[in-house]
mmCIF file of all heavy atoms in Angstrom:
data_model
loop_
_atom_site.group_PDB
_atom_site.id
_atom_site.type_symbol
_atom_site.label_atom_id
_atom_site.label_comp_id
_atom_site.label_asym_id
_atom_site.label_seq_id
_atom_site.Cartn_x
_atom_site.Cartn_y
_atom_site.Cartn_z
ATOM 1 N N ILE T 3 11.856 5.946 -11.455
ATOM 2 C CA ILE T 3 10.755 6.288 -12.351
ATOM 3 C C ILE T 3 9.571 5.358 -12.095
ATOM 4 O O ILE T 3 9.741 4.138 -11.986
ATOM 5 C CB ILE T 3 11.195 6.191 -13.821
ATOM 6 C CG1 ILE T 3 12.260 7.256 -14.114
ATOM 7 C CG2 ILE T 3 10.013 6.341 -14.769
ATOM 8 C CD1 ILE T 3 12.788 7.239 -15.533
ATOM 9 N N ARG T 4 8.393 5.937 -12.015
ATOM 10 C CA ARG T 4 7.172 5.143 -11.834
ATOM 11 C C ARG T 4 6.433 5.027 -13.164
ATOM 12 O O ARG T 4 6.415 5.977 -13.952
ATOM 13 C CB ARG T 4 6.236 5.778 -10.808
ATOM 14 C CG ARG T 4 6.697 5.641 -9.370
ATOM 15 C CD ARG T 4 5.530 5.940 -8.425
ATOM 16 N NE ARG T 4 5.915 5.792 -7.040
ATOM 17 C CZ ARG T 4 6.182 6.802 -6.220
ATOM 18 N NH1 ARG T 4 6.093 8.038 -6.681
ATOM 19 N NH2 ARG T 4 6.513 6.593 -4.972
ATOM 20 N N VAL T 5 5.805 3.889 -13.358
ATOM 21 C CA VAL T 5 4.972 3.649 -14.538
ATOM 22 C C VAL T 5 3.527 3.533 -14.065
ATOM 23 O O VAL T 5 3.217 2.699 -13.212
ATOM 24 C CB VAL T 5 5.398 2.378 -15.290
ATOM 25 C CG1 VAL T 5 4.485 2.143 -16.498
ATOM 26 C CG2 VAL T 5 6.847 2.499 -15.745
ATOM 27 N N ALA T 6 2.667 4.383 -14.598
ATOM 28 C CA ALA T 6 1.278 4.470 -14.120
ATOM 29 C C ALA T 6 0.319 3.790 -15.085
ATOM 30 O O ALA T 6 0.497 3.845 -16.314
ATOM 31 C CB ALA T 6 0.879 5.931 -13.933
ATOM 32 N N MET T 7 -0.675 3.196 -14.504
ATOM 33 C CA MET T 7 -1.724 2.511 -15.270
ATOM 34 C C MET T 7 -3.074 2.997 -14.756
ATOM 35 O O MET T 7 -3.307 3.090 -13.553
ATOM 36 C CB MET T 7 -1.587 0.997 -15.073
ATOM 37 C CG MET T 7 -2.759 0.176 -15.548
ATOM 38 S SD MET T 7 -2.467 -1.583 -15.168
ATOM 39 C CE MET T 7 -4.103 -2.253 -15.457
ATOM 40 N N ASN T 8 -3.981 3.333 -15.685
ATOM 41 C CA ASN T 8 -5.312 3.806 -15.289
ATOM 42 C C ASN T 8 -6.192 2.635 -14.875
ATOM 43 O O ASN T 8 -6.279 1.621 -15.584
ATOM 44 C CB ASN T 8 -5.973 4.543 -16.453
ATOM 45 C CG ASN T 8 -5.350 5.910 -16.678
ATOM 46 O OD1 ASN T 8 -5.655 6.862 -15.976
ATOM 47 N ND2 ASN T 8 -4.456 6.002 -17.655
ATOM 48 N N VAL T 9 -6.847 2.803 -13.744
ATOM 49 C CA VAL T 9 -7.787 1.800 -13.233
ATOM 50 C C VAL T 9 -9.041 2.524 -12.776
ATOM 51 O O VAL T 9 -8.957 3.502 -12.015
ATOM 52 C CB VAL T 9 -7.180 0.998 -12.058
ATOM 53 C CG1 VAL T 9 -8.215 0.032 -11.492
ATOM 54 C CG2 VAL T 9 -5.936 0.241 -12.503
ATOM 55 N N SER T 10 -10.190 2.072 -13.235
ATOM 56 C CA SER T 10 -11.441 2.703 -12.818
ATOM 57 C C SER T 10 -11.966 2.035 -11.553
ATOM 58 O O SER T 10 -11.679 0.864 -11.291
ATOM 59 C CB SER T 10 -12.492 2.591 -13.927
ATOM 60 O OG SER T 10 -12.997 1.277 -13.998
ATOM 61 N N PRO T 11 -12.734 2.763 -10.742
ATOM 62 C CA PRO T 11 -13.348 2.146 -9.561
ATOM 63 C C PRO T 11 -14.222 0.951 -9.906
ATOM 64 O O PRO T 11 -14.380 0.045 -9.096
ATOM 65 C CB PRO T 11 -14.178 3.291 -8.966
ATOM 66 C CG PRO T 11 -13.502 4.528 -9.434
ATOM 67 C CD PRO T 11 -13.003 4.212 -10.807
ATOM 68 N N ARG T 12 -14.806 0.950 -11.120
ATOM 69 C CA ARG T 12 -15.616 -0.208 -11.519
ATOM 70 C C ARG T 12 -14.775 -1.471 -11.557
ATOM 71 O O ARG T 12 -15.212 -2.540 -11.155
ATOM 72 C CB ARG T 12 -16.226 0.034 -12.896
ATOM 73 C CG ARG T 12 -17.278 1.122 -12.961
ATOM 74 C CD ARG T 12 -17.929 1.111 -14.322
ATOM 75 N NE ARG T 12 -18.678 2.322 -14.586
ATOM 76 C CZ ARG T 12 -19.308 2.564 -15.722
ATOM 77 N NH1 ARG T 12 -19.267 1.674 -16.688
ATOM 78 N NH2 ARG T 12 -19.976 3.681 -15.909
ATOM 79 N N GLU T 13 -13.538 -1.333 -12.084
ATOM 80 C CA GLU T 13 -12.658 -2.497 -12.141
ATOM 81 C C GLU T 13 -12.263 -2.954 -10.741
ATOM 82 O O GLU T 13 -12.189 -4.150 -10.463
ATOM 83 C CB GLU T 13 -11.411 -2.157 -12.955
ATOM 84 C CG GLU T 13 -11.694 -1.890 -14.432
ATOM 85 C CD GLU T 13 -10.466 -1.412 -15.162
ATOM 86 O OE1 GLU T 13 -9.636 -2.256 -15.550
ATOM 87 O OE2 GLU T 13 -10.333 -0.177 -15.344
ATOM 88 N N LEU T 14 -11.986 -1.995 -9.872
ATOM 89 C CA LEU T 14 -11.668 -2.344 -8.490
ATOM 90 C C LEU T 14 -12.834 -3.034 -7.813
ATOM 91 O O LEU T 14 -12.671 -3.982 -7.045
ATOM 92 C CB LEU T 14 -11.303 -1.087 -7.700
ATOM 93 C CG LEU T 14 -9.889 -0.532 -7.899
ATOM 94 C CD1 LEU T 14 -9.755 0.798 -7.191
ATOM 95 C CD2 LEU T 14 -8.850 -1.513 -7.385
ATOM 96 N N ASP T 15 -14.042 -2.545 -8.112
ATOM 97 C CA ASP T 15 -15.239 -3.063 -7.462
ATOM 98 C C ASP T 15 -15.615 -4.441 -7.973
ATOM 99 O O ASP T 15 -16.015 -5.320 -7.209
ATOM 100 C CB ASP T 15 -16.396 -2.085 -7.685
ATOM 101 C CG ASP T 15 -17.662 -2.514 -6.977
ATOM 102 O OD1 ASP T 15 -17.578 -2.968 -5.830
ATOM 103 O OD2 ASP T 15 -18.748 -2.395 -7.579
ATOM 104 N N ALA T 16 -15.482 -4.654 -9.282
ATOM 105 C CA ALA T 16 -16.027 -5.868 -9.895
ATOM 106 C C ALA T 16 -15.034 -7.021 -9.966
ATOM 107 O O ALA T 16 -15.411 -8.177 -9.849
ATOM 108 C CB ALA T 16 -16.534 -5.542 -11.302
ATOM 109 N N GLY T 17 -13.752 -6.728 -10.180
ATOM 110 C CA GLY T 17 -12.800 -7.797 -10.441
ATOM 111 C C GLY T 17 -11.825 -8.023 -9.304
ATOM 112 O O GLY T 17 -12.000 -7.560 -8.175
ATOM 113 N N HIS T 18 -10.750 -8.741 -9.620
ATOM 114 C CA HIS T 18 -9.692 -9.035 -8.652
ATOM 115 C C HIS T 18 -8.397 -8.409 -9.151
ATOM 116 O O HIS T 18 -7.354 -9.061 -9.220
ATOM 117 C CB HIS T 18 -9.537 -10.540 -8.484
ATOM 118 C CG HIS T 18 -10.775 -11.205 -7.968
ATOM 119 N ND1 HIS T 18 -11.147 -11.154 -6.635
ATOM 120 C CD2 HIS T 18 -11.742 -11.915 -8.596
ATOM 121 C CE1 HIS T 18 -12.287 -11.813 -6.472
ATOM 122 N NE2 HIS T 18 -12.667 -12.280 -7.641
ATOM 123 N N ILE T 19 -8.488 -7.134 -9.524
ATOM 124 C CA ILE T 19 -7.344 -6.462 -10.114
ATOM 125 C C ILE T 19 -6.203 -6.315 -9.112
ATOM 126 O O ILE T 19 -5.029 -6.301 -9.490
ATOM 127 C CB ILE T 19 -7.770 -5.091 -10.681
ATOM 128 C CG1 ILE T 19 -6.685 -4.539 -11.600
ATOM 129 C CG2 ILE T 19 -8.128 -4.117 -9.581
ATOM 130 C CD1 ILE T 19 -7.106 -3.331 -12.396
ATOM 131 N N ASP T 20 -6.541 -6.208 -7.823
ATOM 132 C CA ASP T 20 -5.482 -6.106 -6.819
ATOM 133 C C ASP T 20 -4.632 -7.368 -6.791
ATOM 134 O O ASP T 20 -3.403 -7.308 -6.710
ATOM 135 C CB ASP T 20 -6.075 -5.811 -5.438
ATOM 136 C CG ASP T 20 -7.191 -6.779 -5.064
ATOM 137 O OD1 ASP T 20 -7.846 -7.328 -5.962
ATOM 138 O OD2 ASP T 20 -7.411 -6.983 -3.851
ATOM 139 N N ASP T 21 -5.287 -8.535 -6.888
ATOM 140 C CA ASP T 21 -4.541 -9.795 -6.938
ATOM 141 C C ASP T 21 -3.693 -9.871 -8.198
ATOM 142 O O ASP T 21 -2.541 -10.332 -8.162
ATOM 143 C CB ASP T 21 -5.506 -10.977 -6.895
ATOM 144 C CG ASP T 21 -6.206 -11.108 -5.551
ATOM 145 O OD1 ASP T 21 -5.611 -10.704 -4.538
ATOM 146 O OD2 ASP T 21 -7.349 -11.603 -5.520
ATOM 147 N N MET T 22 -4.265 -9.435 -9.333
ATOM 148 C CA MET T 22 -3.525 -9.481 -10.585
ATOM 149 C C MET T 22 -2.256 -8.645 -10.502
ATOM 150 O O MET T 22 -1.177 -9.079 -10.939
ATOM 151 C CB MET T 22 -4.410 -8.970 -11.725
ATOM 152 C CG MET T 22 -3.739 -9.010 -13.100
ATOM 153 S SD MET T 22 -4.551 -7.930 -14.305
ATOM 154 C CE MET T 22 -4.023 -6.312 -13.719
ATOM 155 N N ILE T 23 -2.363 -7.437 -9.942
ATOM 156 C CA ILE T 23 -1.213 -6.543 -9.863
ATOM 157 C C ILE T 23 -0.161 -7.091 -8.902
ATOM 158 O O ILE T 23 1.027 -7.203 -9.250
ATOM 159 C CB ILE T 23 -1.668 -5.134 -9.445
ATOM 160 C CG1 ILE T 23 -2.503 -4.488 -10.557
ATOM 161 C CG2 ILE T 23 -0.466 -4.261 -9.093
ATOM 162 C CD1 ILE T 23 -3.133 -3.166 -10.164
ATOM 163 N N LEU T 24 -0.580 -7.434 -7.696
ATOM 164 C CA LEU T 24 0.376 -7.885 -6.688
ATOM 165 C C LEU T 24 1.035 -9.198 -7.092
ATOM 166 O O LEU T 24 2.259 -9.352 -6.972
ATOM 167 C CB LEU T 24 -0.322 -8.018 -5.335
ATOM 168 C CG LEU T 24 -0.862 -6.712 -4.734
ATOM 169 C CD1 LEU T 24 -1.633 -6.989 -3.454
ATOM 170 C CD2 LEU T 24 0.276 -5.739 -4.477
ATOM 171 N N ASP T 25 0.231 -10.143 -7.576
ATOM 172 C CA ASP T 25 0.803 -11.432 -8.005
ATOM 173 C C ASP T 25 1.689 -11.258 -9.231
ATOM 174 O O ASP T 25 2.733 -11.912 -9.355
ATOM 175 C CB ASP T 25 -0.315 -12.429 -8.313
ATOM 176 C CG ASP T 25 -1.122 -12.799 -7.081
ATOM 177 O OD1 ASP T 25 -0.642 -12.533 -5.962
ATOM 178 O OD2 ASP T 25 -2.230 -13.340 -7.238
ATOM 179 N N GLY T 26 1.275 -10.362 -10.144
ATOM 180 C CA GLY T 26 2.058 -10.144 -11.357
ATOM 181 C C GLY T 26 3.415 -9.523 -11.070
ATOM 182 O O GLY T 26 4.431 -9.936 -11.644
ATOM 183 N N LEU T 27 3.450 -8.535 -10.203
ATOM 184 C CA LEU T 27 4.724 -7.912 -9.844
ATOM 185 C C LEU T 27 5.639 -8.892 -9.129
ATOM 186 O O LEU T 27 6.855 -8.947 -9.396
ATOM 187 C CB LEU T 27 4.474 -6.682 -8.960
ATOM 188 C CG LEU T 27 3.788 -5.483 -9.629
ATOM 189 C CD1 LEU T 27 3.464 -4.412 -8.591
ATOM 190 C CD2 LEU T 27 4.650 -4.894 -10.748
ATOM 191 N N LYS T 28 5.061 -9.694 -8.242
ATOM 192 C CA LYS T 28 5.859 -10.660 -7.492
ATOM 193 C C LYS T 28 6.418 -11.736 -8.414
ATOM 194 O O LYS T 28 7.601 -12.116 -8.305
ATOM 195 C CB LYS T 28 4.992 -11.297 -6.401
ATOM 196 C CG LYS T 28 5.745 -12.284 -5.527
ATOM 197 C CD LYS T 28 4.846 -12.842 -4.433
ATOM 198 C CE LYS T 28 5.595 -13.836 -3.559
ATOM 199 N NZ LYS T 28 4.701 -14.401 -2.504
ATOM 200 N N ALA T 29 5.580 -12.216 -9.346
ATOM 201 C CA ALA T 29 6.027 -13.273 -10.257
ATOM 202 C C ALA T 29 7.154 -12.793 -11.166
ATOM 203 O O ALA T 29 8.047 -13.570 -11.542
ATOM 204 C CB ALA T 29 4.853 -13.752 -11.097
ATOM 205 N N ARG T 30 7.166 -11.510 -11.521
ATOM 206 C CA ARG T 30 8.192 -10.960 -12.415
ATOM 207 C C ARG T 30 9.386 -10.400 -11.642
ATOM 208 O O ARG T 30 10.363 -9.947 -12.253
ATOM 209 C CB ARG T 30 7.583 -9.854 -13.287
ATOM 210 C CG ARG T 30 6.527 -10.343 -14.270
ATOM 211 C CD ARG T 30 5.853 -9.164 -14.957
ATOM 212 N NE ARG T 30 4.969 -9.547 -16.037
ATOM 213 C CZ ARG T 30 3.688 -9.862 -15.889
ATOM 214 N NH1 ARG T 30 3.154 -9.861 -14.661
ATOM 215 N NH2 ARG T 30 2.961 -10.182 -16.935
ATOM 216 N N GLY T 31 9.280 -10.379 -10.309
ATOM 217 C CA GLY T 31 10.368 -9.858 -9.498
ATOM 218 C C GLY T 31 10.555 -8.368 -9.643
ATOM 219 O O GLY T 31 11.683 -7.856 -9.592
ATOM 220 N N LEU T 32 9.472 -7.623 -9.817
ATOM 221 C CA LEU T 32 9.541 -6.188 -10.043
ATOM 222 C C LEU T 32 9.196 -5.431 -8.767
ATOM 223 O O LEU T 32 8.317 -5.846 -7.996
ATOM 224 C CB LEU T 32 8.572 -5.773 -11.157
ATOM 225 C CG LEU T 32 8.813 -6.426 -12.521
ATOM 226 C CD1 LEU T 32 7.729 -6.012 -13.504
ATOM 227 C CD2 LEU T 32 10.197 -6.056 -13.063
ATOM 228 N N PRO T 33 9.838 -4.290 -8.529
ATOM 229 C CA PRO T 33 9.550 -3.512 -7.304
ATOM 230 C C PRO T 33 8.201 -2.815 -7.398
ATOM 231 O O PRO T 33 7.903 -2.146 -8.393
ATOM 232 C CB PRO T 33 10.697 -2.500 -7.263
ATOM 233 C CG PRO T 33 11.150 -2.373 -8.685
ATOM 234 C CD PRO T 33 10.941 -3.722 -9.322
ATOM 235 N N ALA T 34 7.411 -2.969 -6.353
ATOM 236 C CA ALA T 34 6.089 -2.338 -6.325
ATOM 237 C C ALA T 34 6.196 -0.824 -6.339
ATOM 238 O O ALA T 34 5.298 -0.126 -6.830
ATOM 239 C CB ALA T 34 5.315 -2.802 -5.095
ATOM 240 N N ALA T 35 7.298 -0.290 -5.837
ATOM 241 C CA ALA T 35 7.463 1.162 -5.762
ATOM 242 C C ALA T 35 7.575 1.802 -7.142
ATOM 243 O O ALA T 35 7.404 3.017 -7.272
ATOM 244 C CB ALA T 35 8.699 1.502 -4.935
ATOM 245 N N MET T 36 7.863 1.016 -8.167
ATOM 246 C CA MET T 36 7.956 1.561 -9.525
ATOM 247 C C MET T 36 6.610 1.544 -10.249
ATOM 248 O O MET T 36 6.533 1.979 -11.402
ATOM 249 C CB MET T 36 8.982 0.771 -10.348
ATOM 250 C CG MET T 36 10.411 0.969 -9.901
ATOM 251 S SD MET T 36 11.590 0.137 -11.002
ATOM 252 C CE MET T 36 11.421 1.118 -12.507
ATOM 253 N N PHE T 37 5.596 1.042 -9.581
ATOM 254 C CA PHE T 37 4.278 0.942 -10.232
ATOM 255 C C PHE T 37 3.315 1.921 -9.572
ATOM 256 O O PHE T 37 3.387 2.179 -8.366
ATOM 257 C CB PHE T 37 3.733 -0.475 -10.128
ATOM 258 C CG PHE T 37 2.489 -0.711 -10.936
ATOM 259 C CD1 PHE T 37 2.529 -0.740 -12.315
ATOM 260 C CD2 PHE T 37 1.258 -0.885 -10.316
ATOM 261 C CE1 PHE T 37 1.379 -0.945 -13.065
ATOM 262 C CE2 PHE T 37 0.111 -1.099 -11.055
ATOM 263 C CZ PHE T 37 0.179 -1.129 -12.442
ATOM 264 N N GLU T 38 2.429 2.464 -10.373
ATOM 265 C CA GLU T 38 1.443 3.432 -9.878
ATOM 266 C C GLU T 38 0.114 3.169 -10.576
ATOM 267 O O GLU T 38 0.091 2.834 -11.764
ATOM 268 C CB GLU T 38 1.920 4.851 -10.185
ATOM 269 C CG GLU T 38 0.993 5.957 -9.692
ATOM 270 C CD GLU T 38 1.615 7.322 -9.915
ATOM 271 O OE1 GLU T 38 2.342 7.797 -9.002
ATOM 272 O OE2 GLU T 38 1.412 7.897 -11.000
ATOM 273 N N ILE T 39 -0.975 3.320 -9.845
ATOM 274 C CA ILE T 39 -2.293 3.243 -10.480
ATOM 275 C C ILE T 39 -2.971 4.593 -10.342
ATOM 276 O O ILE T 39 -2.874 5.257 -9.303
ATOM 277 C CB ILE T 39 -3.178 2.122 -9.886
ATOM 278 C CG1 ILE T 39 -3.464 2.352 -8.415
ATOM 279 C CG2 ILE T 39 -2.566 0.752 -10.107
ATOM 280 C CD1 ILE T 39 -4.506 1.393 -7.861
ATOM 281 N N GLU T 40 -3.608 4.994 -11.429
ATOM 282 C CA GLU T 40 -4.339 6.257 -11.458
ATOM 283 C C GLU T 40 -5.830 5.944 -11.430
ATOM 284 O O GLU T 40 -6.336 5.234 -12.301
ATOM 285 C CB GLU T 40 -3.984 7.056 -12.714
ATOM 286 C CG GLU T 40 -2.525 7.470 -12.755
ATOM 287 C CD GLU T 40 -2.217 8.334 -13.966
ATOM 288 O OE1 GLU T 40 -3.157 8.620 -14.753
ATOM 289 O OE2 GLU T 40 -1.042 8.718 -14.143
#
């Protein structure tokens, strides 16, 4: 099962959301394949 989170292009453009997601999943030991961004 995948869990999806909405992300706007503005957030991708302005912030470091990619670092937040990748570092957050790694720190919690969670599989990236279970996460989805819309």
Side-chain angles (χ1 to χ4, degrees):
I3 294 179
R4 286 196 179 103
V5 179
M7 167 183 167
N8 287 280
V9 176
S10 75
R12 292 188 195 178
E13 294 174 82
L14 281 173
D15 183 42
H18 299 283
I19 194 169
D20 51 334
D21 292 331
M22 182 199 73
I23 292 173
L24 296 175
D25 295 344
L27 292 173
K28 182 178 180 181
R30 294 173 172 87
L32 300 176
M36 291 185 68
F37 188 70
E38 181 174 271
I39 62 171
E40 296 184 1

